[in-house]
Amino acid sequence: MDFEDVSLTALRVFRAVAEHGTFTAAAAALGYTQSAVSRQMATIERAAGTQLLQRRREGVRLTTAGRTVLRHATVVLDEIEATARELSGLPAAAGTVRLGWIPSAGAVLLPRALTELGRTDPGLNVVSREGTTPVLVRALRAGSLDLVLLGSAPPFRPPDTETPPLVVETLAERALRLAVPATHPLARGDFVDVADLRGQRWIAGPSSGEDRLMGVWPGLDERPEIAHTARDWFAKLHLVAAGLGLTTVPAALAPAAPEGVRVLPVRGGPQEQRRLLLAHLGRPTQPVTRVAAALRAAALDTT
């Protein structure tokens, strides 16, 4: 089979696998069975005459050939989508920017930036979606997103090790904060001493991948007591408001904390810094540049 005979379905499946990182996640996103995804991948690799993916326990990684195929597949699929829109009489998507963002950016910074864009650039269409940093990076490389807001914690490694490297800039760097119930003894002061965190009950994120014990103060010299587990930031904050435990929050979320929660700095140990990053791949279009500028301004404003 010649690569020129590869179907659009196979290209879509390949891009979905590259974006989602596993055959299972790609199948769920496409509404296919996992075996159907595996068959399509076998077809496209047979046509390429080489391996496009490295299969690992934690997911797939593109080979050099895989990156080449993905780059061209993205162009083909985008052109097909543009053709379909034009034939349907829909407006061209040239002024559309696809933006990805981590949950902590969606409470204050993102609404502020998009509101200002709506005032200054009403013809620009921004469609956005939430995700974790690894998921957003894969989507950016797969061509499903144009611009992403990512999170980074010490030791502040690059978002990935693929080539070419992403174009990354730091929008903000602020210390991690602690959310405590307003009725808790720790809420009486203007800061919390790190020694007073021993023996506390915690509301944490799922204990896997990058979310491992997210919500527990880093570096505690004890096994933390996890009272509740929740992925959603606001669910965690409302559990705090109910007096059910403590959790960590990025400083950017402090203005969005519900009533009954105090967000305080922690003293007495190394400062736990968190960075908000803006990343894109290659030369950005004018619409992407305008969205990036609005995000920078909003980050300065919230800082």
Side-chain angles (χ1 to χ4, degrees), residues 129-181:
R129 77 188 210 214
E130 177 189 321
T132 63
T133 289
V135 167
L136 295 177
V137 168
R138 286 197 299 268
L140 181 63
R141 288 207 177 272
S144 300
L145 293 173
D146 304 305
L147 192 65
V148 290
L149 288 165
L150 309 174
S152 182
F156 301 123
R157 296 186 180 92
D160 69 4
T161 57
E162 302 290 339
T163 54
L166 300 178
V167 180
V168 181
E169 63 177 288
T170 299
L171 292 188
E173 181 173 339
R174 302 179 69 182
L176 191 66
R177 299 294 182 91
L178 187 73
V180 302

mmCIF file of all heavy atoms in Angstrom, residues 129-181:
data_model
loop_
_atom_site.group_PDB
_atom_site.id
_atom_site.type_symbol
_atom_site.label_atom_id
_atom_site.label_comp_id
_atom_site.label_asym_id
_atom_site.label_seq_id
_atom_site.Cartn_x
_atom_site.Cartn_y
_atom_site.Cartn_z
ATOM 1 N N ARG A 129 -10.649 25.251 25.385
ATOM 2 C CA ARG A 129 -10.976 24.052 26.140
ATOM 3 C C ARG A 129 -9.976 23.867 27.270
ATOM 4 O O ARG A 129 -8.814 24.276 27.173
ATOM 5 C CB ARG A 129 -10.999 22.833 25.236
ATOM 6 C CG ARG A 129 -9.656 22.282 24.851
ATOM 7 C CD ARG A 129 -9.815 21.201 23.795
ATOM 8 N NE ARG A 129 -8.795 20.198 23.861
ATOM 9 C CZ ARG A 129 -8.297 19.577 22.803
ATOM 10 N NH1 ARG A 129 -8.756 19.877 21.605
ATOM 11 N NH2 ARG A 129 -7.373 18.656 22.934
ATOM 12 N N GLU A 130 -10.451 23.261 28.333
ATOM 13 C CA GLU A 130 -9.632 23.006 29.517
ATOM 14 C C GLU A 130 -8.911 21.667 29.393
ATOM 15 O O GLU A 130 -9.388 20.744 28.726
ATOM 16 C CB GLU A 130 -10.547 22.987 30.750
ATOM 17 C CG GLU A 130 -9.861 22.658 32.053
ATOM 18 C CD GLU A 130 -10.869 22.448 33.175
ATOM 19 O OE1 GLU A 130 -11.863 23.185 33.221
ATOM 20 O OE2 GLU A 130 -10.666 21.530 33.992
ATOM 21 N N GLY A 131 -7.768 21.551 30.029
ATOM 22 C CA GLY A 131 -7.047 20.283 30.057
ATOM 23 C C GLY A 131 -5.863 20.357 30.997
ATOM 24 O O GLY A 131 -5.514 21.434 31.483
ATOM 25 N N THR A 132 -5.246 19.231 31.265
ATOM 26 C CA THR A 132 -4.019 19.221 32.041
ATOM 27 C C THR A 132 -2.855 19.615 31.136
ATOM 28 O O THR A 132 -2.970 19.571 29.907
ATOM 29 C CB THR A 132 -3.745 17.838 32.640
ATOM 30 O OG1 THR A 132 -3.549 16.902 31.568
ATOM 31 C CG2 THR A 132 -4.907 17.371 33.510
ATOM 32 N N THR A 133 -1.741 19.976 31.731
ATOM 33 C CA THR A 133 -0.591 20.399 30.943
ATOM 34 C C THR A 133 -0.146 19.342 29.923
ATOM 35 O O THR A 133 0.038 19.667 28.741
ATOM 36 C CB THR A 133 0.563 20.807 31.876
ATOM 37 O OG1 THR A 133 0.207 22.041 32.522
ATOM 38 C CG2 THR A 133 1.871 21.008 31.113
ATOM 39 N N PRO A 134 0.023 18.052 30.289
ATOM 40 C CA PRO A 134 0.439 17.075 29.270
ATOM 41 C C PRO A 134 -0.557 16.929 28.127
ATOM 42 O O PRO A 134 -0.167 16.805 26.966
ATOM 43 C CB PRO A 134 0.563 15.764 30.064
ATOM 44 C CG PRO A 134 0.776 16.178 31.472
ATOM 45 C CD PRO A 134 -0.020 17.432 31.635
ATOM 46 N N VAL A 135 -1.853 16.942 28.436
ATOM 47 C CA VAL A 135 -2.881 16.810 27.399
ATOM 48 C C VAL A 135 -2.841 18.009 26.454
ATOM 49 O O VAL A 135 -2.929 17.861 25.227
ATOM 50 C CB VAL A 135 -4.276 16.677 28.045
ATOM 51 C CG1 VAL A 135 -5.384 16.853 27.016
ATOM 52 C CG2 VAL A 135 -4.410 15.320 28.726
ATOM 53 N N LEU A 136 -2.678 19.210 27.003
ATOM 54 C CA LEU A 136 -2.654 20.411 26.167
ATOM 55 C C LEU A 136 -1.409 20.443 25.280
ATOM 56 O O LEU A 136 -1.483 20.867 24.118
ATOM 57 C CB LEU A 136 -2.709 21.661 27.041
ATOM 58 C CG LEU A 136 -3.996 21.857 27.846
ATOM 59 C CD1 LEU A 136 -3.889 23.085 28.730
ATOM 60 C CD2 LEU A 136 -5.217 21.957 26.943
ATOM 61 N N VAL A 137 -0.282 19.996 25.807
ATOM 62 C CA VAL A 137 0.945 19.964 25.006
ATOM 63 C C VAL A 137 0.786 18.999 23.836
ATOM 64 O O VAL A 137 1.165 19.315 22.695
ATOM 65 C CB VAL A 137 2.153 19.573 25.885
ATOM 66 C CG1 VAL A 137 3.374 19.254 25.027
ATOM 67 C CG2 VAL A 137 2.481 20.697 26.859
ATOM 68 N N ARG A 138 0.209 17.835 24.085
ATOM 69 C CA ARG A 138 -0.001 16.880 22.984
ATOM 70 C C ARG A 138 -0.951 17.456 21.943
ATOM 71 O O ARG A 138 -0.746 17.293 20.737
ATOM 72 C CB ARG A 138 -0.546 15.563 23.533
ATOM 73 C CG ARG A 138 0.478 14.714 24.264
ATOM 74 C CD ARG A 138 0.003 13.288 24.419
ATOM 75 N NE ARG A 138 -1.232 13.193 25.179
ATOM 76 C CZ ARG A 138 -1.282 13.009 26.495
ATOM 77 N NH1 ARG A 138 -0.168 12.885 27.200
ATOM 78 N NH2 ARG A 138 -2.443 12.924 27.115
ATOM 79 N N ALA A 139 -2.016 18.140 22.398
ATOM 80 C CA ALA A 139 -2.975 18.729 21.459
ATOM 81 C C ALA A 139 -2.327 19.836 20.639
ATOM 82 O O ALA A 139 -2.617 19.994 19.451
ATOM 83 C CB ALA A 139 -4.186 19.265 22.221
ATOM 84 N N LEU A 140 -1.442 20.598 21.252
ATOM 85 C CA LEU A 140 -0.728 21.649 20.534
ATOM 86 C C LEU A 140 0.153 21.034 19.448
ATOM 87 O O LEU A 140 0.151 21.487 18.293
ATOM 88 C CB LEU A 140 0.127 22.448 21.520
ATOM 89 C CG LEU A 140 0.930 23.622 20.962
ATOM 90 C CD1 LEU A 140 0.006 24.686 20.390
ATOM 91 C CD2 LEU A 140 1.826 24.223 22.051
ATOM 92 N N ARG A 141 0.861 19.979 19.780
ATOM 93 C CA ARG A 141 1.729 19.332 18.792
ATOM 94 C C ARG A 141 0.919 18.632 17.710
ATOM 95 O O ARG A 141 1.373 18.519 16.564
ATOM 96 C CB ARG A 141 2.663 18.349 19.486
ATOM 97 C CG ARG A 141 3.758 19.026 20.302
ATOM 98 C CD ARG A 141 4.975 18.169 20.412
ATOM 99 N NE ARG A 141 6.049 18.848 21.129
ATOM 100 C CZ ARG A 141 6.954 19.639 20.551
ATOM 101 N NH1 ARG A 141 6.908 19.856 19.250
ATOM 102 N NH2 ARG A 141 7.902 20.212 21.267
ATOM 103 N N ALA A 142 -0.276 18.173 18.067
ATOM 104 C CA ALA A 142 -1.121 17.494 17.083
ATOM 105 C C ALA A 142 -1.841 18.469 16.162
ATOM 106 O O ALA A 142 -2.510 18.055 15.218
ATOM 107 C CB ALA A 142 -2.142 16.610 17.796
ATOM 108 N N GLY A 143 -1.726 19.761 16.429
ATOM 109 C CA GLY A 143 -2.375 20.751 15.583
ATOM 110 C C GLY A 143 -3.823 21.015 15.944
ATOM 111 O O GLY A 143 -4.519 21.726 15.218
ATOM 112 N N SER A 144 -4.289 20.475 17.079
ATOM 113 C CA SER A 144 -5.677 20.701 17.490
ATOM 114 C C SER A 144 -5.849 22.003 18.268
ATOM 115 O O SER A 144 -6.964 22.480 18.447
ATOM 116 C CB SER A 144 -6.162 19.536 18.361
ATOM 117 O OG SER A 144 -6.099 18.326 17.649
ATOM 118 N N LEU A 145 -4.745 22.559 18.745
ATOM 119 C CA LEU A 145 -4.759 23.838 19.444
ATOM 120 C C LEU A 145 -3.681 24.736 18.857
ATOM 121 O O LEU A 145 -2.661 24.255 18.356
ATOM 122 C CB LEU A 145 -4.507 23.640 20.953
ATOM 123 C CG LEU A 145 -5.579 22.904 21.739
ATOM 124 C CD1 LEU A 145 -5.107 22.637 23.170
ATOM 125 C CD2 LEU A 145 -6.893 23.688 21.758
ATOM 126 N N ASP A 146 -3.906 26.048 18.930
ATOM 127 C CA ASP A 146 -2.947 27.016 18.411
ATOM 128 C C ASP A 146 -2.095 27.640 19.517
ATOM 129 O O ASP A 146 -0.972 28.085 19.262
ATOM 130 C CB ASP A 146 -3.681 28.153 17.689
ATOM 131 C CG ASP A 146 -4.586 27.644 16.591
ATOM 132 O OD1 ASP A 146 -4.093 26.912 15.711
ATOM 133 O OD2 ASP A 146 -5.800 27.961 16.622
ATOM 134 N N LEU A 147 -2.651 27.683 20.714
ATOM 135 C CA LEU A 147 -2.022 28.402 21.818
ATOM 136 C C LEU A 147 -2.467 27.733 23.108
ATOM 137 O O LEU A 147 -3.633 27.340 23.221
ATOM 138 C CB LEU A 147 -2.474 29.868 21.787
ATOM 139 C CG LEU A 147 -1.776 30.905 22.642
ATOM 140 C CD1 LEU A 147 -0.326 31.084 22.200
ATOM 141 C CD2 LEU A 147 -2.518 32.240 22.547
ATOM 142 N N VAL A 148 -1.563 27.602 24.090
ATOM 143 C CA VAL A 148 -1.950 26.934 25.336
ATOM 144 C C VAL A 148 -1.398 27.677 26.542
ATOM 145 O O VAL A 148 -0.293 28.233 26.501
ATOM 146 C CB VAL A 148 -1.473 25.463 25.369
ATOM 147 C CG1 VAL A 148 -2.243 24.615 24.376
ATOM 148 C CG2 VAL A 148 0.026 25.340 25.124
ATOM 149 N N LEU A 149 -2.177 27.663 27.614
ATOM 150 C CA LEU A 149 -1.754 28.137 28.928
ATOM 151 C C LEU A 149 -1.437 26.911 29.767
ATOM 152 O O LEU A 149 -2.310 26.067 29.991
ATOM 153 C CB LEU A 149 -2.857 28.959 29.589
ATOM 154 C CG LEU A 149 -3.117 30.341 28.998
ATOM 155 C CD1 LEU A 149 -4.457 30.876 29.487
ATOM 156 C CD2 LEU A 149 -1.999 31.304 29.361
ATOM 157 N N LEU A 150 -0.192 26.805 30.216
ATOM 158 C CA LEU A 150 0.282 25.627 30.925
ATOM 159 C C LEU A 150 0.728 25.991 32.335
ATOM 160 O O LEU A 150 1.054 27.145 32.616
ATOM 161 C CB LEU A 150 1.467 24.997 30.181
ATOM 162 C CG LEU A 150 1.290 24.728 28.687
ATOM 163 C CD1 LEU A 150 2.605 24.254 28.081
ATOM 164 C CD2 LEU A 150 0.179 23.706 28.459
ATOM 165 N N GLY A 151 0.791 24.988 33.194
ATOM 166 C CA GLY A 151 1.315 25.171 34.539
ATOM 167 C C GLY A 151 2.671 24.500 34.675
ATOM 168 O O GLY A 151 2.969 23.521 33.988
ATOM 169 N N SER A 152 3.495 25.031 35.574
ATOM 170 C CA SER A 152 4.813 24.449 35.802
ATOM 171 C C SER A 152 5.200 24.625 37.261
ATOM 172 O O SER A 152 4.960 25.682 37.855
ATOM 173 C CB SER A 152 5.856 25.120 34.903
ATOM 174 O OG SER A 152 7.125 24.537 35.077
ATOM 175 N N ALA A 153 5.781 23.561 37.825
ATOM 176 C CA ALA A 153 6.253 23.569 39.206
ATOM 177 C C ALA A 153 7.741 23.262 39.218
ATOM 178 O O ALA A 153 8.274 22.711 38.244
ATOM 179 C CB ALA A 153 5.487 22.540 40.039
ATOM 180 N N PRO A 154 8.453 23.621 40.292
ATOM 181 C CA PRO A 154 9.886 23.302 40.360
ATOM 182 C C PRO A 154 10.111 21.825 40.092
ATOM 183 O O PRO A 154 9.301 21.001 40.502
ATOM 184 C CB PRO A 154 10.259 23.674 41.800
ATOM 185 C CG PRO A 154 9.244 24.711 42.189
ATOM 186 C CD PRO A 154 7.977 24.301 41.501
ATOM 187 N N PRO A 155 11.175 21.454 39.377
ATOM 188 C CA PRO A 155 12.318 22.293 38.933
ATOM 189 C C PRO A 155 12.117 22.979 37.587
ATOM 190 O O PRO A 155 13.099 23.318 36.923
ATOM 191 C CB PRO A 155 13.454 21.266 38.865
ATOM 192 C CG PRO A 155 12.779 19.994 38.464
ATOM 193 C CD PRO A 155 11.437 20.009 39.136
ATOM 194 N N PHE A 156 10.885 23.212 37.191
ATOM 195 C CA PHE A 156 10.575 23.992 35.990
ATOM 196 C C PHE A 156 11.234 23.435 34.728
ATOM 197 O O PHE A 156 11.950 24.127 34.017
ATOM 198 C CB PHE A 156 10.963 25.463 36.182
ATOM 199 C CG PHE A 156 10.268 26.127 37.330
ATOM 200 C CD1 PHE A 156 11.001 26.721 38.346
ATOM 201 C CD2 PHE A 156 8.886 26.150 37.399
ATOM 202 C CE1 PHE A 156 10.361 27.329 39.414
ATOM 203 C CE2 PHE A 156 8.240 26.765 38.457
ATOM 204 C CZ PHE A 156 8.976 27.350 39.471
ATOM 205 N N ARG A 157 10.945 22.181 34.443
ATOM 206 C CA ARG A 157 11.450 21.562 33.220
ATOM 207 C C ARG A 157 10.618 22.035 32.018
ATOM 208 O O ARG A 157 9.501 22.496 32.177
ATOM 209 C CB ARG A 157 11.369 20.037 33.330
ATOM 210 C CG ARG A 157 12.240 19.444 34.422
ATOM 211 C CD ARG A 157 12.207 17.925 34.360
ATOM 212 N NE ARG A 157 13.031 17.320 35.384
ATOM 213 C CZ ARG A 157 12.590 16.956 36.586
ATOM 214 N NH1 ARG A 157 11.317 17.133 36.900
ATOM 215 N NH2 ARG A 157 13.413 16.418 37.469
ATOM 216 N N PRO A 158 11.152 21.899 30.803
ATOM 217 C CA PRO A 158 10.358 22.222 29.606
ATOM 218 C C PRO A 158 9.096 21.361 29.567
ATOM 219 O O PRO A 158 9.080 20.250 30.109
ATOM 220 C CB PRO A 158 11.301 21.874 28.450
ATOM 221 C CG PRO A 158 12.676 21.944 29.032
ATOM 222 C CD PRO A 158 12.541 21.493 30.463
ATOM 223 N N PRO A 159 8.035 21.855 28.930
ATOM 224 C CA PRO A 159 6.782 21.087 28.883
ATOM 225 C C PRO A 159 6.929 19.703 28.280
ATOM 226 O O PRO A 159 6.200 18.783 28.637
ATOM 227 C CB PRO A 159 5.856 21.964 28.034
ATOM 228 C CG PRO A 159 6.402 23.341 28.174
ATOM 229 C CD PRO A 159 7.883 23.174 28.307
ATOM 230 N N ASP A 160 7.840 19.538 27.320
ATOM 231 C CA ASP A 160 8.134 18.212 26.781
ATOM 232 C C ASP A 160 9.526 18.233 26.169
ATOM 233 O O ASP A 160 10.195 19.280 26.152
ATOM 234 C CB ASP A 160 7.066 17.737 25.786
ATOM 235 C CG ASP A 160 7.066 18.516 24.473
ATOM 236 O OD1 ASP A 160 7.944 19.389 24.285
ATOM 237 O OD2 ASP A 160 6.206 18.261 23.622
ATOM 238 N N THR A 161 9.972 17.090 25.692
ATOM 239 C CA THR A 161 11.323 16.990 25.121
ATOM 240 C C THR A 161 11.283 16.719 23.618
ATOM 241 O O THR A 161 12.286 16.320 23.040
ATOM 242 C CB THR A 161 12.115 15.868 25.825
ATOM 243 O OG1 THR A 161 11.388 14.628 25.703
ATOM 244 C CG2 THR A 161 12.311 16.187 27.298
ATOM 245 N N GLU A 162 10.129 16.924 23.009
ATOM 246 C CA GLU A 162 9.996 16.686 21.576
ATOM 247 C C GLU A 162 10.688 17.795 20.784
ATOM 248 O O GLU A 162 11.023 18.860 21.310
ATOM 249 C CB GLU A 162 8.517 16.621 21.189
ATOM 250 C CG GLU A 162 7.717 15.551 21.907
ATOM 251 C CD GLU A 162 8.086 14.146 21.464
ATOM 252 O OE1 GLU A 162 8.653 14.013 20.360
ATOM 253 O OE2 GLU A 162 7.824 13.202 22.211
ATOM 254 N N THR A 163 10.904 17.536 19.515
ATOM 255 C CA THR A 163 11.460 18.547 18.627
ATOM 256 C C THR A 163 10.463 18.818 17.495
ATOM 257 O O THR A 163 9.744 17.908 17.084
ATOM 258 C CB THR A 163 12.793 18.073 18.003
ATOM 259 O OG1 THR A 163 12.593 16.809 17.369
ATOM 260 C CG2 THR A 163 13.859 17.961 19.078
ATOM 261 N N PRO A 164 10.376 20.035 16.994
ATOM 262 C CA PRO A 164 11.116 21.195 17.501
ATOM 263 C C PRO A 164 10.581 21.628 18.859
ATOM 264 O O PRO A 164 9.427 21.336 19.193
ATOM 265 C CB PRO A 164 10.834 22.267 16.442
ATOM 266 C CG PRO A 164 9.482 21.894 15.895
ATOM 267 C CD PRO A 164 9.452 20.391 15.882
ATOM 268 N N PRO A 165 11.411 22.316 19.657
ATOM 269 C CA PRO A 165 10.940 22.742 20.979
ATOM 270 C C PRO A 165 9.801 23.755 20.863
ATOM 271 O O PRO A 165 9.735 24.528 19.902
ATOM 272 C CB PRO A 165 12.178 23.375 21.619
ATOM 273 C CG PRO A 165 13.052 23.758 20.461
ATOM 274 C CD PRO A 165 12.802 22.729 19.404
ATOM 275 N N LEU A 166 8.903 23.716 21.832
ATOM 276 C CA LEU A 166 7.818 24.692 21.864
ATOM 277 C C LEU A 166 8.377 26.079 22.174
ATOM 278 O O LEU A 166 9.403 26.232 22.837
ATOM 279 C CB LEU A 166 6.800 24.312 22.944
ATOM 280 C CG LEU A 166 6.121 22.959 22.804
ATOM 281 C CD1 LEU A 166 5.187 22.722 23.983
ATOM 282 C CD2 LEU A 166 5.351 22.864 21.500
ATOM 283 N N VAL A 167 7.688 27.093 21.686
ATOM 284 C CA VAL A 167 8.013 28.483 22.041
ATOM 285 C C VAL A 167 7.243 28.787 23.334
ATOM 286 O O VAL A 167 6.013 28.830 23.332
ATOM 287 C CB VAL A 167 7.615 29.453 20.918
ATOM 288 C CG1 VAL A 167 7.949 30.883 21.307
ATOM 289 C CG2 VAL A 167 8.297 29.062 19.610
ATOM 290 N N VAL A 168 7.970 28.968 24.420
ATOM 291 C CA VAL A 168 7.357 29.087 25.746
ATOM 292 C C VAL A 168 7.791 30.385 26.410
ATOM 293 O O VAL A 168 8.966 30.757 26.362
ATOM 294 C CB VAL A 168 7.763 27.897 26.650
ATOM 295 C CG1 VAL A 168 7.111 28.020 28.026
ATOM 296 C CG2 VAL A 168 7.374 26.572 25.997
ATOM 297 N N GLU A 169 6.840 31.080 27.015
ATOM 298 C CA GLU A 169 7.176 32.247 27.832
ATOM 299 C C GLU A 169 6.428 32.163 29.157
ATOM 300 O O GLU A 169 5.336 31.579 29.239
ATOM 301 C CB GLU A 169 6.828 33.548 27.116
ATOM 302 C CG GLU A 169 5.349 33.743 26.836
ATOM 303 C CD GLU A 169 5.060 35.094 26.197
ATOM 304 O OE1 GLU A 169 5.152 36.116 26.911
ATOM 305 O OE2 GLU A 169 4.747 35.113 24.990
ATOM 306 N N THR A 170 7.019 32.735 30.190
ATOM 307 C CA THR A 170 6.401 32.752 31.514
ATOM 308 C C THR A 170 5.527 33.989 31.644
ATOM 309 O O THR A 170 6.026 35.119 31.532
ATOM 310 C CB THR A 170 7.478 32.750 32.618
ATOM 311 O OG1 THR A 170 8.266 31.565 32.502
ATOM 312 C CG2 THR A 170 6.836 32.792 33.995
ATOM 313 N N LEU A 171 4.243 33.782 31.874
ATOM 314 C CA LEU A 171 3.330 34.910 32.066
ATOM 315 C C LEU A 171 3.334 35.390 33.512
ATOM 316 O O LEU A 171 3.167 36.581 33.782
ATOM 317 C CB LEU A 171 1.904 34.523 31.672
ATOM 318 C CG LEU A 171 1.619 34.268 30.197
ATOM 319 C CD1 LEU A 171 0.119 34.095 29.988
ATOM 320 C CD2 LEU A 171 2.139 35.391 29.326
ATOM 321 N N ALA A 172 3.482 34.460 34.443
ATOM 322 C CA ALA A 172 3.459 34.829 35.858
ATOM 323 C C ALA A 172 4.170 33.763 36.661
ATOM 324 O O ALA A 172 4.180 32.588 36.283
ATOM 325 C CB ALA A 172 2.018 34.984 36.347
ATOM 326 N N GLU A 173 4.774 34.181 37.742
ATOM 327 C CA GLU A 173 5.360 33.252 38.707
ATOM 328 C C GLU A 173 4.995 33.751 40.098
ATOM 329 O O GLU A 173 5.391 34.857 40.490
ATOM 330 C CB GLU A 173 6.878 33.149 38.552
ATOM 331 C CG GLU A 173 7.502 32.174 39.544
ATOM 332 C CD GLU A 173 8.979 31.930 39.303
ATOM 333 O OE1 GLU A 173 9.447 32.183 38.179
ATOM 334 O OE2 GLU A 173 9.670 31.488 40.245
ATOM 335 N N ARG A 174 4.233 32.935 40.818
ATOM 336 C CA ARG A 174 3.764 33.349 42.140
ATOM 337 C C ARG A 174 3.825 32.167 43.089
ATOM 338 O O ARG A 174 3.813 31.012 42.674
ATOM 339 C CB ARG A 174 2.335 33.890 42.053
ATOM 340 C CG ARG A 174 2.194 35.070 41.108
ATOM 341 C CD ARG A 174 0.776 35.581 41.024
ATOM 342 N NE ARG A 174 0.348 36.205 42.260
ATOM 343 C CZ ARG A 174 -0.876 36.698 42.462
ATOM 344 N NH1 ARG A 174 -1.778 36.601 41.504
ATOM 345 N NH2 ARG A 174 -1.199 37.253 43.598
ATOM 346 N N ALA A 175 3.881 32.485 44.364
ATOM 347 C CA ALA A 175 3.981 31.441 45.379
ATOM 348 C C ALA A 175 2.652 30.700 45.525
ATOM 349 O O ALA A 175 1.567 31.292 45.409
ATOM 350 C CB ALA A 175 4.384 32.042 46.719
ATOM 351 N N LEU A 176 2.753 29.410 45.762
ATOM 352 C CA LEU A 176 1.571 28.602 46.054
ATOM 353 C C LEU A 176 0.946 29.098 47.357
ATOM 354 O O LEU A 176 1.646 29.532 48.278
ATOM 355 C CB LEU A 176 1.989 27.131 46.199
ATOM 356 C CG LEU A 176 0.891 26.083 46.255
ATOM 357 C CD1 LEU A 176 0.151 26.017 44.927
ATOM 358 C CD2 LEU A 176 1.494 24.711 46.576
ATOM 359 N N ARG A 177 -0.360 29.025 47.463
ATOM 360 C CA ARG A 177 -1.074 29.484 48.654
ATOM 361 C C ARG A 177 -1.824 28.324 49.302
ATOM 362 O O ARG A 177 -1.954 27.236 48.717
ATOM 363 C CB ARG A 177 -2.066 30.591 48.290
ATOM 364 C CG ARG A 177 -1.432 31.834 47.687
ATOM 365 C CD ARG A 177 -0.555 32.567 48.670
ATOM 366 N NE ARG A 177 0.023 33.777 48.107
ATOM 367 C CZ ARG A 177 -0.538 34.976 48.170
ATOM 368 N NH1 ARG A 177 -1.731 35.127 48.734
ATOM 369 N NH2 ARG A 177 0.064 36.011 47.644
ATOM 370 N N LEU A 178 -2.334 28.591 50.485
ATOM 371 C CA LEU A 178 -3.094 27.604 51.243
ATOM 372 C C LEU A 178 -4.505 28.108 51.468
ATOM 373 O O LEU A 178 -4.697 29.253 51.905
ATOM 374 C CB LEU A 178 -2.425 27.346 52.601
ATOM 375 C CG LEU A 178 -3.024 26.218 53.439
ATOM 376 C CD1 LEU A 178 -2.667 24.858 52.846
ATOM 377 C CD2 LEU A 178 -2.527 26.302 54.875
ATOM 378 N N ALA A 179 -5.484 27.285 51.160
ATOM 379 C CA ALA A 179 -6.891 27.628 51.415
ATOM 380 C C ALA A 179 -7.332 26.943 52.702
ATOM 381 O O ALA A 179 -7.206 25.725 52.847
ATOM 382 C CB ALA A 179 -7.767 27.177 50.252
ATOM 383 N N VAL A 180 -7.827 27.736 53.634
ATOM 384 C CA VAL A 180 -8.265 27.201 54.929
ATOM 385 C C VAL A 180 -9.681 27.682 55.220
ATOM 386 O O VAL A 180 -10.092 28.761 54.774
ATOM 387 C CB VAL A 180 -7.312 27.641 56.070
ATOM 388 C CG1 VAL A 180 -5.887 27.182 55.782
ATOM 389 C CG2 VAL A 180 -7.346 29.145 56.258
ATOM 390 N N PRO A 181 -10.465 26.900 55.954
ATOM 391 C CA PRO A 181 -11.801 27.372 56.329
ATOM 392 C C PRO A 181 -11.695 28.649 57.172
ATOM 393 O O PRO A 181 -10.781 28.781 58.006
ATOM 394 C CB PRO A 181 -12.367 26.216 57.164
ATOM 395 C CG PRO A 181 -11.543 25.017 56.778
ATOM 396 C CD PRO A 181 -10.191 25.548 56.464
#
